[in-house]
Amino acid sequence: MSEAVFEASLERIRRHCLFSGQKSITLLFHGGEPSLVGVKRFDAWCTKARQSLEEVVEVRFMLQTNGTLLNRAWARVLLKHQVRVGISMDGPEELHNAYRVDHKGQGSYENVVQGLNVLREEHVAFGVLSVIQLGADPLAIHHHFLSLGCKSISYILPDFTHDTIGPIRERYGPTPCADFLIPIFDDWWFNGTLDVRIRDFWNIARLIMGGDSLTDSLGNNPFHFIFVETDGRIEGLDVLRVCSEGMTSTTLNV
């Protein structure tokens, strides 16, 4: 994303907040891999966002990253701007490295764990986002995250549609995601602690008790976010791209 697109995004956000009267906004950097912008540029962007918006709205920051580039310099900047961090991780080393490799085909697990350890040591708030690994041992994955000191975990539904789920159910059964999540819930509820927050279960509980879901995959509330692409295009929920090309397009640009 160029400086021009980023500044135009901030101006659009400022104008929207003045119009809507909302009191806070969260800027979530994700990708791709947002840490590729470099720690100095990220620091400058967070500073610029606060300077541009703080008179209008409270600004909060989040970073969703694969964790491979995180180091002490990143930790200092994340603390400086109170950025909440999400680490994308699939599970133990063998499982994680099956899909998450670098351009040389080498697994990224060791680099991710190193980055995660830096965040924990520097007291940067972080959580793990993990796509449900169908057919894998759910408790082995969950206990691995706990062993790394993770206190916030989200298990993400894999991107299948009504038209593509058939072969998955033939291979893994009619309820593959439930079969993965239920053992984790039972272990968390009967053997774990509420100090560990599993976002999926918290959101289901909120809905059952009459509250609102805080994630786009559960509940029917209107979305309270948009996506700004690197060229300035404004899009809706990006995961809908699995349904058809262009489904997320709004035809708008910052």
Side-chain angles (χ1 to χ4, degrees):
M1 179 177 288
S2 68
E3 295 293 330
V5 170
F6 185 71
E7 291 176 4
S9 300
L10 294 180
E11 175 59 18
R12 290 295 185 183
I13 292 170
R14 189 187 69 83
R15 288 164 58 184
H16 171 75
C17 291
L18 286 171
F19 174 80
S20 67
Q22 68 191 70
K23 302 301 183 182
S24 66
I25 189 168
T26 298
L27 298 183
L28 168 57
F29 298 89
H30 72 114
E33 176 47 48
S35 65
L36 289 173
V37 302
V39 64
K40 292 183 179 179
R41 193 177 186 193
F42 183 80
D43 183 14
W45 277 5
C46 290
T47 299
K48 183 176 293 185
R50 288 202 189 280
Q51 292 173 344
S52 300
L53 301 173
E54 63 183 356
E55 293 184 1
V56 176
V57 66
E58 179 187 0
V59 183
R60 301 166 183 163
F61 299 108
M62 296 182 66
L63 176 73
Q64 182 60 38
T65 174
N66 62 30
T68 59
L69 299 179
L70 298 181
N71 53 27
R72 303 289 173 184
W74 268 103
R76 288 192 293 270
V77 168
L78 295 170
L79 277 175
K80 172 183 175 181
H81 297 288
Q82 298 181 312
V83 182
R84 291 180 292 165
V85 180
I87 304 289
S88 298
M89 198 173 189
D90 290 335
E93 183 171 7
E94 181 177 347
L95 186 59
H96 181 90
N97 285 347
Y99 300 102
R100 297 187 180 272
V101 297
D102 59 22
H103 291 295
K104 296 181 180 179
Q106 302 298 314
S108 62
Y109 177 85
E110 290 187 4
N111 289 334
V112 177
V113 171
Q114 182 177 337
L116 186 151
N117 287 338
V118 168
L119 296 185
R120 186 177 61 249
E121 293 165 5
E122 298 293 336
H123 305 291
V124 177
F126 72 91
V128 166
L129 274 70
S130 181
V131 176
I132 291 174
Q133 301 297 309
L134 301 178
D137 183 344
L139 290 182
I141 293 173
H142 184 63
H143 290 164
H144 182 71
F145 292 147
L146 296 179
S147 73
L148 294 175
C150 301
K151 298 295 186 181
S152 175
I153 306 171
S154 297
Y155 291 105
I156 309 299
L157 300 176
D159 290 342
F160 295 105
T161 70
H162 179 274
D163 295 331
T164 62
I165 193 63
I168 301 302
R169 287 176 172 161
E170 290 178 6
R171 181 175 181 181
Y172 297 109
T175 57
C177 291
D179 295 340
F180 183 94
L181 290 172
I182 289 173
I184 294 176
F185 175 83
D186 289 343
D187 184 73
W188 171 68
W189 187 255
F190 293 109
N191 304 319
T193 169
L194 293 180
D195 290 338
V196 174
R197 175 165 295 198
I198 303 176
R199 189 172 68 161
D200 321 73
F201 303 151
W202 280 88
N203 277 299
I204 291 171
R206 286 174 65 93
L207 290 169
I208 290 174
M209 292 165 50
D212 295 330
S213 173
L214 301 178
T215 182
D216 53 66
S217 61
L218 295 168
N220 293 314
N221 286 337
F223 297 138
H224 298 289
F225 56 81
I226 53 95
F227 293 82
V228 179
E229 299 295 330
T230 54
D231 61 0
R233 285 179 293 125
I234 300 174
E235 295 194 349
L237 182 61
D238 62 346
V239 73
L240 293 179
R241 291 176 182 172
V242 302
C243 298
S244 67
E245 184 65 28
M247 178 168 282
T248 60
S249 175
T250 66
T251 74
L252 303 175
N253 192 295
V254 297

